[in-house]
Coordinates of all heavy atoms in Angstrom, one line a residue:
Chain X
M1 N 88.1 118.8 69.1 CA 86.7 119.0 69.1 C 86.4 120.5 69.1 O 85.8 121.1 68.3 CB 86.0 118.4 70.3 CG 84.6 118.7 70.4 SD 83.9 118.0 71.9 CE 84.9 118.9 73.1
F2 N 86.9 121.2 70.2 CA 86.7 122.6 70.4 C 87.2 123.4 69.1 O 86.5 124.2 68.5 CB 87.5 123.2 71.6 CG 86.9 122.8 72.9 CD1 87.3 121.7 73.6 CD2 85.9 123.6 73.3 CE1 86.7 121.5 74.8 CE2 85.3 123.4 74.6 CZ 85.7 122.3 75.3
Q3 N 88.4 123.0 68.7 CA 89.0 123.6 67.5 C 88.1 123.6 66.3 O 87.7 124.7 65.8 CB 90.3 122.9 67.3 CG 91.2 123.5 66.2 CD 91.7 124.8 66.7 OE1 91.9 125.0 67.9 NE2 92.0 125.7 65.7
R47 N 83.8 110.8 68.3 CA 85.2 111.3 68.6 C 86.2 110.1 68.5 O 87.2 110.2 67.9 CB 85.3 111.9 70.0 CG 84.6 113.2 70.0 CD 85.1 114.1 71.2 NE 85.2 113.4 72.4 CZ 84.2 113.5 73.4 NH1 83.1 114.1 73.2 NH2 84.4 112.9 74.5
N48 N 85.9 109.0 69.1 CA 87.0 108.0 69.2 C 86.5 106.6 68.7 O 87.3 105.6 68.8 CB 87.6 107.9 70.5 CG 86.7 107.5 71.6 OD1 85.6 107.0 71.3 ND2 87.0 107.6 72.8
H120 N 96.2 91.0 65.5 CA 96.3 92.0 66.6 C 95.3 91.7 67.7 O 94.1 91.9 67.5 CB 96.0 93.4 66.0 CG 97.1 93.9 65.1 ND1 98.3 94.4 65.5 CD2 97.2 94.0 63.7 CE1 99.1 94.7 64.5 NE2 98.4 94.5 63.4
L167 N 103.8 81.0 76.8 CA 104.7 82.1 76.4 C 104.4 82.6 75.0 O 104.4 83.8 74.7 CB 106.1 81.7 76.5 CG 107.1 82.7 77.0 CD1 106.6 83.4 78.2 CD2 108.4 82.0 77.3
D168 N 104.2 81.7 74.1 CA 103.9 82.1 72.7 C 102.7 83.0 72.5 O 102.8 84.1 71.9 CB 103.6 80.8 71.9 CG 104.8 80.4 71.0 OD1 105.9 80.8 71.4 OD2 104.6 79.7 70.0
R171 N 103.5 86.4 74.0 CA 104.4 87.3 73.3 C 103.9 87.8 72.0 O 104.4 88.8 71.5 CB 105.7 86.5 73.1 CG 106.5 86.3 74.4 CD 107.9 85.9 74.2 NE 108.6 86.1 75.4 CZ 109.7 85.3 75.7 NH1 110.1 84.4 74.9 NH2 110.4 85.5 76.8
A173 N 100.8 88.8 71.6 CA 99.8 89.8 71.8 C 100.4 91.2 71.6 O 101.6 91.5 71.8 CB 99.3 89.7 73.2
D174 N 99.5 92.2 71.2 CA 100.0 93.6 71.1 C 100.0 94.2 72.5 O 100.9 95.1 72.7 CB 99.0 94.4 70.2 CG 99.2 94.1 68.7 OD1 100.3 93.6 68.3 OD2 98.2 94.3 67.9
V175 N 99.1 93.9 73.3 CA 99.0 94.4 74.6 C 98.7 93.2 75.5 O 97.9 92.4 75.1 CB 98.0 95.5 74.8 CG1 98.1 96.2 76.1 CG2 98.0 96.5 73.6
G192 N 108.6 91.0 82.6 CA 109.9 90.6 82.3 C 110.0 89.7 81.1 O 111.1 89.5 80.5
L193 N 108.9 89.1 80.7 CA 108.9 88.1 79.6 C 108.5 88.6 78.3 O 108.8 88.1 77.2 CB 108.0 86.9 80.0 CG 108.5 86.0 81.1 CD1 107.4 85.0 81.5 CD2 109.8 85.3 80.8
E195 N 107.7 91.9 75.4 CA 108.2 93.3 75.0 C 107.1 94.2 74.5 O 107.3 95.0 73.6 CB 109.3 93.1 74.0 CG 110.7 92.9 74.6 CD 111.2 91.5 74.4 OE1 111.2 91.1 73.2 OE2 111.6 90.8 75.3
H196 N 105.9 94.0 75.1 CA 104.8 94.8 74.7 C 104.3 95.5 75.9 O 104.6 95.1 77.0 CB 103.7 93.9 74.1 CG 104.2 93.3 72.8 ND1 104.3 93.9 71.6 CD2 104.6 92.0 72.6 CE1 104.8 93.1 70.7 NE2 105.0 91.9 71.3
P197 N 103.4 96.5 75.7 CA 102.9 97.2 76.9 C 102.1 96.3 77.8 O 101.3 95.5 77.2 CB 102.0 98.3 76.3 CG 102.5 98.5 74.9 CD 103.0 97.2 74.5
L199 N 99.3 96.2 80.9 CA 98.4 96.9 81.8 C 98.1 96.0 82.9 O 97.5 94.9 82.7 CB 97.2 97.3 81.0 CG 97.5 98.5 80.0 CD1 96.5 98.5 78.9 CD2 97.5 99.8 80.7
L217 N 98.0 96.1 94.3 CA 98.2 97.4 93.7 C 99.7 97.9 93.9 O 100.4 98.4 93.0 CB 97.2 98.5 94.3 CG 97.4 99.9 93.9 CD1 97.3 100.1 92.4 CD2 96.4 100.8 94.6
L221 N 102.7 98.7 91.2 CA 103.3 100.0 91.0 C 104.8 100.0 91.2 O 105.5 100.8 90.6 CB 102.7 101.0 92.0 CG 101.2 101.4 91.7 CD1 100.7 102.2 92.9 CD2 101.2 102.4 90.5
N222 N 105.2 99.1 92.0 CA 106.7 99.0 92.4 C 107.4 98.0 91.5 O 108.6 97.6 91.8 CB 106.8 98.6 93.9 CG 106.5 99.8 94.7 OD1 107.2 100.8 94.8 ND2 105.3 99.7 95.4
S226 N 110.0 96.7 83.6 CA 109.6 97.9 82.9 C 108.5 97.7 81.9 O 108.2 96.5 81.5 CB 110.8 98.6 82.1 OG 111.8 98.8 83.0
G227 N 107.8 98.7 81.6 CA 106.7 98.6 80.6 C 105.3 98.3 81.2 O 104.4 97.9 80.5
I228 N 105.2 98.4 82.5 CA 104.0 98.1 83.2 C 103.3 99.4 83.7 O 104.0 100.2 84.3 CB 104.3 97.2 84.4 CG1 104.8 95.8 84.0 CG2 103.0 97.0 85.2 CD1 105.3 94.9 85.1
S229 N 102.1 99.6 83.4 CA 101.3 100.6 84.0 C 100.1 100.0 84.6 O 99.7 99.0 84.2 CB 101.0 101.8 83.0 OG 100.3 101.3 82.0
V230 N 99.5 100.8 85.5 CA 98.5 100.2 86.5 C 97.2 100.9 86.4 O 97.2 102.2 86.3 CB 99.1 100.2 87.9 CG1 98.2 99.4 88.8 CG2 100.5 99.6 87.9
V231 N 96.1 100.2 86.6 CA 94.8 100.9 86.8 C 94.3 100.6 88.2 O 94.9 99.8 88.9 CB 93.8 100.5 85.7 CG1 94.3 100.9 84.3 CG2 93.5 99.0 85.7
N232 N 93.1 101.1 88.5 CA 92.5 100.9 89.8 C 92.2 99.5 90.1 O 92.0 98.6 89.2 CB 91.3 101.8 89.9 CG 90.9 102.1 91.3 OD1 91.5 101.6 92.3 ND2 89.8 102.9 91.5
F237 N 87.6 97.2 83.2 CA 87.1 98.1 82.2 C 88.2 99.1 81.8 O 88.5 99.3 80.6 CB 85.9 98.9 82.6 CG 85.6 100.1 81.8 CD1 85.0 99.9 80.5 CD2 85.9 101.4 82.2 CE1 84.8 101.0 79.7 CE2 85.7 102.5 81.4 CZ 85.1 102.3 80.1
G238 N 88.8 99.7 82.8 CA 89.9 100.7 82.6 C 91.0 100.2 81.8 O 91.6 100.8 80.9
Y241 N 90.0 99.7 78.2 CA 89.9 100.9 77.5 C 91.3 101.4 77.0 O 91.5 101.7 75.8 CB 89.3 102.0 78.4 CG 88.8 103.2 77.6 CD1 87.4 103.4 77.4 CD2 89.6 104.2 77.2 CE1 86.9 104.5 76.7 CE2 89.2 105.3 76.5 CZ 87.9 105.5 76.3 OH 87.4 106.6 75.6
S242 N 92.2 101.4 77.9 CA 93.6 101.8 77.5 C 94.2 100.9 76.5 O 94.8 101.3 75.5 CB 94.5 101.8 78.8 OG 94.3 103.0 79.6
L245 N 92.7 101.7 73.1 CA 93.3 102.9 72.5 C 94.7 102.6 71.8 O 95.0 103.1 70.8 CB 93.6 104.0 73.6 CG 92.4 104.7 74.1 CD1 92.8 105.7 75.3 CD2 91.7 105.5 73.0
I246 N 95.4 101.7 72.5 CA 96.7 101.3 71.9 C 96.5 100.5 70.6 O 97.1 100.8 69.5 CB 97.6 100.5 72.9 CG1 97.9 101.4 74.1 CG2 98.8 99.9 72.2 CD1 98.5 100.6 75.3
K248 N 93.9 100.6 68.6 CA 93.4 101.6 67.6 C 94.6 102.4 67.0 O 94.6 102.5 65.8 CB 92.4 102.5 68.3 CG 91.6 103.4 67.3 CD 90.6 104.2 67.9 CE 91.2 105.2 68.9 NZ 90.8 106.6 68.7
E249 N 95.5 102.8 67.8 CA 96.7 103.5 67.3 C 97.5 102.7 66.3 O 98.0 103.1 65.3 CB 97.5 104.1 68.4 CG 96.8 105.0 69.3 CD 97.6 106.2 69.8 OE1 98.8 105.9 70.0 OE2 97.1 107.3 69.9
I250 N 97.7 101.4 66.7 CA 98.5 100.5 65.9 C 97.8 100.3 64.6 O 98.4 100.4 63.5 CB 98.7 99.2 66.6 CG1 99.5 99.4 67.9 CG2 99.4 98.2 65.7 CD1 99.6 98.1 68.8
G253 N 98.1 103.3 62.6 CA 99.4 103.4 62.1 C 99.6 102.6 60.8 O 100.3 103.1 59.9
C254 N 98.9 101.5 60.7 CA 99.0 100.6 59.5 C 98.4 101.3 58.3 O 98.9 101.1 57.2 CB 98.3 99.3 59.7 SG 98.9 98.4 61.1
E256 N 98.0 104.6 57.8 CA 98.5 105.9 57.4 C 99.4 105.8 56.2 O 100.1 104.8 56.0 CB 99.2 106.6 58.5 CG 98.3 107.3 59.5 CD 99.0 107.6 60.8 OE1 100.2 107.7 60.8 OE2 98.3 107.9 61.8
Chain G
M1 N 112.1 84.1 73.0 CA 113.5 83.8 73.2 C 113.7 82.3 73.6 O 114.5 81.6 72.9 CB 114.0 84.7 74.4 CG 115.5 84.4 74.7 SD 115.9 85.3 76.2 CE 114.8 84.6 77.4
F2 N 113.1 81.9 74.7 CA 113.2 80.5 75.1 C 112.9 79.6 73.9 O 113.7 78.7 73.6 CB 112.3 80.2 76.2 CG 112.7 80.7 77.5 CD1 112.3 81.9 78.0 CD2 113.6 80.0 78.3 CE1 112.7 82.4 79.2 CE2 114.0 80.5 79.5 CZ 113.6 81.7 79.9
Q3 N 111.8 79.8 73.3 CA 111.3 79.0 72.2 C 112.4 78.8 71.1 O 112.8 77.7 70.8 CB 110.1 79.7 71.6 CG 109.3 78.9 70.5 CD 108.7 77.7 71.1 OE1 108.3 77.7 72.3 NE2 108.6 76.7 70.3
R47 N 116.7 92.1 72.0 CA 115.3 91.7 72.1 C 114.4 92.8 71.7 O 113.4 92.6 70.9 CB 115.0 91.2 73.5 CG 115.7 89.9 73.8 CD 115.0 89.2 75.0 NE 114.8 90.1 76.1 CZ 115.6 90.1 77.2 NH1 116.7 89.4 77.2 NH2 115.3 90.9 78.2
N48 N 114.5 94.0 72.3 CA 113.5 95.0 72.0 C 114.0 96.4 71.5 O 113.3 97.3 71.3 CB 112.7 95.3 73.3 CG 113.5 95.8 74.4 OD1 114.7 96.3 74.2 ND2 113.0 95.8 75.6
H120 N 105.0 111.4 64.9 CA 104.8 110.5 66.0 C 105.6 110.9 67.2 O 106.8 110.8 67.3 CB 105.2 109.0 65.7 CG 104.2 108.4 64.7 ND1 102.9 108.0 65.0 CD2 104.3 108.1 63.4 CE1 102.3 107.5 64.0 NE2 103.1 107.6 62.9
L167 N 95.9 122.6 73.5 CA 95.1 121.5 73.1 C 95.6 120.8 71.8 O 95.6 119.5 71.7 CB 93.6 121.9 73.0 CG 92.5 120.9 73.4 CD1 92.9 120.4 74.8 CD2 91.2 121.6 73.5
D168 N 95.9 121.6 70.8 CA 96.4 121.0 69.6 C 97.6 120.1 69.8 O 97.6 118.9 69.3 CB 96.9 122.2 68.7 CG 95.8 122.5 67.6 OD1 94.6 122.1 67.9 OD2 96.2 123.0 66.6
R171 N 96.6 116.9 71.5 CA 95.8 116.0 70.8 C 96.5 115.3 69.6 O 96.0 114.2 69.2 CB 94.5 116.7 70.3 CG 93.6 117.0 71.4 CD 92.2 117.4 70.9 NE 91.3 117.4 72.0 CZ 90.2 118.1 72.1 NH1 89.9 118.9 71.1 NH2 89.3 118.0 73.1
A173 N 99.6 114.2 69.8 CA 100.5 113.3 70.4 C 100.0 111.9 70.2 O 98.8 111.6 70.3 CB 100.9 113.6 71.8
D174 N 100.9 110.9 70.1 CA 100.5 109.5 70.1 C 100.2 109.0 71.5 O 99.3 108.2 71.7 CB 101.6 108.6 69.5 CG 101.6 108.7 68.0 OD1 100.6 109.1 67.4 OD2 102.6 108.3 67.4
V175 N 101.0 109.5 72.4 CA 100.8 109.1 73.8 C 101.1 110.4 74.6 O 101.9 111.2 74.2 CB 101.9 108.1 74.3 CG1 101.5 107.5 75.7 CG2 102.0 107.0 73.3
G192 N 90.2 113.4 79.8 CA 88.9 113.8 79.2 C 89.0 114.5 77.9 O 88.1 114.6 77.1
L193 N 90.2 115.1 77.6 CA 90.4 115.9 76.4 C 91.0 115.2 75.2 O 90.8 115.6 74.1 CB 91.2 117.2 76.7 CG 90.6 118.2 77.7 CD1 91.6 119.2 78.1 CD2 89.3 118.8 77.0
E195 N 92.2 111.6 72.9 CA 91.7 110.2 72.7 C 92.9 109.3 72.4 O 92.8 108.4 71.6 CB 90.8 110.2 71.5 CG 89.4 110.5 71.9 CD 88.9 111.8 71.3 OE1 89.1 112.1 70.1 OE2 88.4 112.7 72.1
H196 N 94.0 109.5 73.2 CA 95.1 108.6 73.1 C 95.5 108.1 74.5 O 95.0 108.7 75.4 CB 96.3 109.5 72.5 CG 96.0 109.9 71.1 ND1 96.1 109.1 70.0 CD2 95.6 111.2 70.6 CE1 95.8 109.8 68.9 NE2 95.5 111.1 69.3
P197 N 96.3 107.1 74.5 CA 96.6 106.6 75.8 C 97.3 107.7 76.7 O 98.2 108.4 76.2 CB 97.6 105.4 75.6 CG 97.3 105.0 74.1 CD 96.9 106.3 73.4
L199 N 99.6 108.2 80.1 CA 100.3 107.6 81.2 C 100.5 108.6 82.3 O 101.1 109.7 82.0 CB 101.7 107.1 80.7 CG 101.5 105.8 79.8 CD1 102.7 105.7 78.9 CD2 101.4 104.6 80.7
L217 N 98.8 109.9 93.5 CA 98.7 108.6 93.0 C 97.3 108.1 93.1 O 96.7 107.5 92.1 CB 99.6 107.6 93.9 CG 99.5 106.1 93.6 CD1 99.8 105.7 92.2 CD2 100.3 105.4 94.6
L221 N 94.7 107.0 90.0 CA 94.1 105.6 90.0 C 92.6 105.7 89.9 O 92.0 104.8 89.3 CB 94.6 104.8 91.2 CG 96.0 104.3 91.2 CD1 96.4 103.8 92.5 CD2 96.2 103.2 90.1
N222 N 92.0 106.6 90.5 CA 90.6 106.7 90.6 C 90.0 107.6 89.6 O 88.8 108.0 89.7 CB 90.2 107.3 92.0 CG 90.4 106.2 93.1 OD1 89.6 105.3 93.2 ND2 91.4 106.4 93.9
S226 N 88.6 107.9 81.2 CA 89.1 106.6 80.8 C 90.4 106.7 80.0 O 90.7 107.8 79.5 CB 88.1 105.9 79.9 OG 86.9 105.7 80.7
G227 N 91.1 105.6 79.9 CA 92.3 105.7 79.0 C 93.6 106.1 79.8 O 94.6 106.3 79.2
I228 N 93.5 106.1 81.1 CA 94.6 106.5 81.9 C 95.2 105.3 82.7 O 94.4 104.6 83.3 CB 94.2 107.6 83.0 CG1 93.7 108.8 82.3 CG2 95.3 107.9 83.9 CD1 93.1 109.9 83.2
S229 N 96.5 105.1 82.6 CA 97.1 104.1 83.5 C 98.3 104.8 84.2 O 98.8 105.8 83.7 CB 97.5 102.9 82.7 OG 98.4 103.2 81.7
V230 N 98.7 104.2 85.3 CA 99.5 104.9 86.2 C 100.8 104.2 86.5 O 100.8 103.0 86.5 CB 98.7 105.1 87.5 CG1 99.5 106.0 88.5 CG2 97.3 105.7 87.3
V231 N 101.9 104.9 86.7 CA 103.1 104.3 87.2 C 103.5 104.8 88.6 O 102.8 105.7 89.1 CB 104.3 104.6 86.2 CG1 104.0 104.0 84.8 CG2 104.6 106.1 86.1
N232 N 104.5 104.3 89.1 CA 104.9 104.7 90.5 C 105.2 106.2 90.7 O 105.5 106.9 89.7 CB 106.2 103.9 90.9 CG 106.3 103.7 92.4 OD1 105.6 104.3 93.2 ND2 107.3 103.0 92.8
F237 N 110.9 107.6 84.3 CA 111.4 106.5 83.5 C 110.4 105.5 83.1 O 110.3 105.1 81.9 CB 112.6 105.9 84.2 CG 113.0 104.6 83.6 CD1 113.7 104.6 82.4 CD2 112.6 103.3 84.1 CE1 114.1 103.4 81.8 CE2 113.0 102.1 83.5 CZ 113.7 102.2 82.3
G238 N 109.6 105.0 84.1 CA 108.6 104.0 83.8 C 107.6 104.4 82.8 O 107.2 103.6 81.9
Y241 N 109.2 104.5 79.4 CA 109.4 103.1 78.8 C 108.1 102.6 78.2 O 108.1 102.1 77.1 CB 109.9 102.2 79.9 CG 110.4 100.9 79.5 CD1 111.8 100.7 79.4 CD2 109.6 99.9 79.0 CE1 112.4 99.5 79.0 CE2 110.2 98.7 78.6 CZ 111.5 98.5 78.5 OH 112.1 97.3 78.1
S242 N 107.0 102.7 79.0 CA 105.7 102.2 78.4 C 105.3 103.0 77.2 O 104.8 102.4 76.2 CB 104.6 102.4 79.5 OG 104.7 101.4 80.5
L245 N 107.2 101.8 74.2 CA 106.7 100.5 73.7 C 105.5 100.7 72.8 O 105.4 100.1 71.7 CB 106.3 99.6 74.9 CG 107.4 98.9 75.7 CD1 106.8 98.1 76.8 CD2 108.2 98.0 74.8
I246 N 104.6 101.6 73.2 CA 103.5 101.9 72.4 C 103.9 102.5 71.0 O 103.4 102.1 70.0 CB 102.5 102.9 73.1 CG1 102.0 102.2 74.4 CG2 101.3 103.3 72.2 CD1 101.2 103.1 75.3
K248 N 106.7 102.2 69.5 CA 107.4 101.2 68.7 C 106.3 100.3 68.0 O 106.5 100.0 66.8 CB 108.3 100.3 69.6 CG 109.2 99.4 68.9 CD 110.1 98.6 69.8 CE 109.3 97.7 70.7 NZ 109.7 96.3 70.9
E249 N 105.3 100.0 68.7 CA 104.2 99.2 68.1 C 103.5 99.9 67.0 O 103.2 99.3 66.0 CB 103.2 98.8 69.2 CG 103.8 97.9 70.3 CD 102.8 96.9 70.8 OE1 101.6 97.1 70.8 OE2 103.3 95.8 71.2
I250 N 103.3 101.2 67.2 CA 102.7 102.0 66.1 C 103.6 102.0 64.9 O 103.1 101.8 63.8 CB 102.4 103.4 66.6 CG1 101.3 103.3 67.8 CG2 101.8 104.3 65.5 CD1 101.1 104.7 68.5
G253 N 103.6 98.8 63.3 CA 102.3 98.6 62.6 C 102.3 99.2 61.2 O 101.8 98.6 60.2
C254 N 103.0 100.4 61.1 CA 103.1 101.1 59.8 C 103.9 100.2 58.8 O 103.6 100.3 57.6 CB 103.8 102.4 60.0 SG 103.0 103.5 61.1
E256 N 104.4 96.9 58.7 CA 103.9 95.6 58.4 C 103.2 95.5 57.1 O 102.6 96.5 56.7 CB 103.0 95.1 59.5 CG 103.8 94.6 60.7 CD 102.9 94.3 61.9 OE1 101.7 94.2 61.7 OE2 103.4 94.1 63.0

Side-chain angles (χ1 to χ4, degrees):
Chain X
M1 175 187 62
F2 283 96
Q3 186 67 29
R47 292 202 308 267
N48 64 13
H120 290 287
L167 218 46
D168 259 23
R171 289 195 166 153
D174 284 339
V175 192
L193 291 172
E195 274 112 50
H196 298 283
L199 288 154
L217 171 62
L221 286 168
N222 288 289
S226 301
I228 297 174
S229 60
V230 186
V231 299
N232 200 355
F237 165 76
Y241 195 103
S242 283
L245 285 175
I246 296 172
K248 191 176 61 130
E249 298 216 328
I250 296 170
C254 302
E256 276 167 19
Chain G
M1 175 188 62
F2 284 94
Q3 187 66 30
R47 291 203 307 267
N48 62 15
H120 289 287
L167 216 47
D168 259 23
R171 288 195 166 152
D174 283 339
V175 191
L193 292 172
E195 274 112 52
H196 298 283
L199 288 155
L217 170 63
L221 286 168
N222 287 288
S226 301
I228 297 174
S229 59
V230 187
V231 299
N232 200 355
F237 165 75
Y241 195 103
S242 284
L245 285 176
I246 296 172
K248 191 178 60 133
E249 297 215 329
I250 297 170
C254 302
E256 278 170 15

